[in-house]
């Protein structure tokens, strides 16, 4: 199926998605996001929303970007070498939330669309969707993991039973610190280069993923936001955040997708945790509550 692509419809959805997520998080946190609209000289722009030192979130960033270019560089077209040199357009919403309370997991989500335009007779536009979300707890809770994965599975179910296990596996493989042989968190879903259902249904799948985010994450926040914690828990949270930074800097920001969207430079500060501790060889005491994260949660598991 090769129905006509509609970038404007994707653009409108993504802008609306960002606004809905920002509004919902402001209601939960009680503090408003700061907003910064920006333009890119080569074409396009975006809107970066940042909540700093809120009542629930220490930092929460929700970015919308829509960037254009005249020629896609070969380094950004490895998966589709035929797209090199074509005019291109990339848009997406990306978010990362870092809570104060260590019993609330950090969460990441993005949904995006990319198209390299046809230039000659007989060529077709090359386009695809990508996205997903993943949960990174500090103190794992089975109810939270089941909630998050169940909502993702239900969102994908109308499009075929094969997508949830495939996207879950892709998430487990991607969000993995290879040098540590350690998952970043408890996973979720991840997909890229997705166009196999044709534009209308592929776009519907992306909308379902984006719309599922608040249902997957906010109930966890509501359950955990008043849970008591102390300096020990905050200290462990800071160490685990160091792993998050390792992944972002080593594995994520230099990816082909990063090149395709101009390196996502505007999103780096939005995604970084505000307080981090890092020591390469630090490990929690065996049998401690902190150790339980490694033994019970940072393992590949079918949560639903």
């Amino acid at each position: 199926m090769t129905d006509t692509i509609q970038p404007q419809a994707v653009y409108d959805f993504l802008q609306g998605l960002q606004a809905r997520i920002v509004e919902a998080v402001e209601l939960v946190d009680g503090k408003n996001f700061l907003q910064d609209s920006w333009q890119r000289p080569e074409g396009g722009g975006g809107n970066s929303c940042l909540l700093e030192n809120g009542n629930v979130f220490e930092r929460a960033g929700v970015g919308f970007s829509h960037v254009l270019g005249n020629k896609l560089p070969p380094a950004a077209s490895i998966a589709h070498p035929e797209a090199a040199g074509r005019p291109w357009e990339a848009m997406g919403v990306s978010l990362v939330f870092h809570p104060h309370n260590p019993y609330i997991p950090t969460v990441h989500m993005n949904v995006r669309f990319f198209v390299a335009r046809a230039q000659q007779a007989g060529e077709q536009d090359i386009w695809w969707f990508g996205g997903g979300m993943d949960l990174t707890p500090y103190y794992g809770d089975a109810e939270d993991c089941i909630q998050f994965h169940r909502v993702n599975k239900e969102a994908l179910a109308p499009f075929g039973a094969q997508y949830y296990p495939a996207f879950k596996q892709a998430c487990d493989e991607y969000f993995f610190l290879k040098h540590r042989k350690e998952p970043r968190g408890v996973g979720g879903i991840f997909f890229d280069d997705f166009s196999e259902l044709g534009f209308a249904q592929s776009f519907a799948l992306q909308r379902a993923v984006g719309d599922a985010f608040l249902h997957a994450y906010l109930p966890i926040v509501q359950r955990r936001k008043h849970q008591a914690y102390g300096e020990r828990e905050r200290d462990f949270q800071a160490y685990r955040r160091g792993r998050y930074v390792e992944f972002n800097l080593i594995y994520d920001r230099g990816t082909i997708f990063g090149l395709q969207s101009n390196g996502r430079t505007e999103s780096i500060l939005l995604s970084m945790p505000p307080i981090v501790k890092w020591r390469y060889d630090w490990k929690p005491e065996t049998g401690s509550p902190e150790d339980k994260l490694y033994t019970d949660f940072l393992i590949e598991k079918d949560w639903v």
Side-chain angles (χ1 to χ4, degrees):
M1 185 175 180
T2 57
D3 46 340
T4 304
I5 66 170
Q6 299 178 42
Q8 185 63 47
V10 182
Y11 179 97
D12 293 342
F13 166 72
L14 293 172
Q15 279 204 320
L17 178 65
Q18 182 193 38
R20 285 186 282 118
I21 291 172
V22 165
E23 181 181 16
V25 173
E26 287 180 340
L27 287 173
V28 169
D29 188 274
K31 185 174 182 179
N32 292 334
F33 282 79
L34 299 175
Q35 302 203 25
D36 176 34
S37 295
W38 51 273
Q39 297 297 315
R40 183 170 177 266
E42 296 88 343
N47 183 38
S48 299
C49 299
L50 181 66
L51 190 157
E52 288 269 36
N53 198 29
N55 297 302
V56 176
F57 295 102
E58 197 165 5
R59 174 173 292 157
V62 189
F64 164 77
S65 62
H66 172 230
V67 295
L68 302 93
N70 293 325
K71 289 186 177 182
L72 185 67
S77 54
I78 294 173
H80 291 276
E82 70 276 19
R86 292 190 181 195
W88 59 274
E89 182 176 2
M91 61 185 83
V93 166
S94 182
L95 65 83
V96 180
F97 295 165
H98 297 287
H100 283 288
N101 192 320
Y103 289 103
I104 304 175
T106 283
V107 72
H108 155 260
M109 189 276 287
N110 78 78
V111 282
R112 56 191 183 268
F113 176 69
F114 183 88
V115 56
R117 299 288 186 180
Q119 289 185 289
Q120 302 175 14
E123 288 184 342
Q124 294 184 336
D125 292 341
I126 300 168
W127 61 269
W128 62 85
F129 290 97
M133 64 185 93
D134 66 285
L135 200 65
T136 304
Y138 310 105
Y139 290 88
D141 185 277
E143 183 181 11
D144 295 348
C145 299
I146 292 168
Q147 157 89 29
F148 193 79
H149 277 273
R150 180 177 290 151
V151 172
N152 277 280
K153 185 175 184 179
E154 290 173 352
L156 294 169
F159 304 94
Q162 72 274 25
Y163 288 120
Y164 171 73
F167 292 176
K168 178 185 181 298
Q169 181 179 356
C171 186
D172 290 338
E173 292 174 354
Y174 184 76
F175 294 103
F176 187 84
L177 283 77
K178 298 176 180 64
H179 62 295
R180 293 185 180 276
K181 296 181 172 58
E182 176 186 294
R184 187 170 84 173
V186 297
I189 56 173
F190 178 77
F191 61 100
D192 198 20
D193 203 1
F194 187 83
S195 60
E196 64 189 56
L197 295 178
F199 178 82
Q201 280 296 95
S202 297
F203 181 28
L205 183 147
Q206 189 205 48
R207 292 198 306 271
V209 171
D211 290 341
F213 169 73
L214 292 173
H215 302 292
Y217 185 62
L218 286 192
I220 298 171
V221 175
Q222 296 285 16
R223 281 197 298 270
R224 307 293 165 210
K225 67 179 182 178
H226 297 304
Q227 192 164 344
Y229 64 90
E231 196 57 37
R232 172 183 177 137
E233 288 88 351
R234 280 285 285 173
D235 194 54
F236 182 60
Q237 178 192 50
Y239 277 114
R240 287 301 308 169
R241 284 174 170 179
R243 300 288 195 270
Y244 199 95
V245 172
E246 277 188 35
F247 180 85
N248 275 15
L249 296 182
I250 296 173
Y251 293 110
D252 193 39
R253 299 299 163 177
T255 60
I256 296 173
F257 169 63
L259 293 168
Q260 288 166 349
S261 54
N262 196 36
R264 294 190 292 169
T265 53
E266 82 286 347
S267 72
I268 292 175
L269 290 180
L270 291 181
S271 70
M272 288 300 214
I275 298 173
V276 178
K277 288 187 177 181
W278 188 84
R279 194 162 68 226
Y280 187 82
D281 59 352
W282 184 87
K283 293 181 180 179
E285 182 181 348
T286 301
S288 66
E290 292 77 21
D291 188 49
K292 187 177 179 181
L293 177 71
Y294 296 87
T295 60
D296 293 14
F297 292 91
L298 296 185
I299 54 178
E300 191 172 331
K301 186 181 294 188
D302 183 1
W303 288 104
V304 295

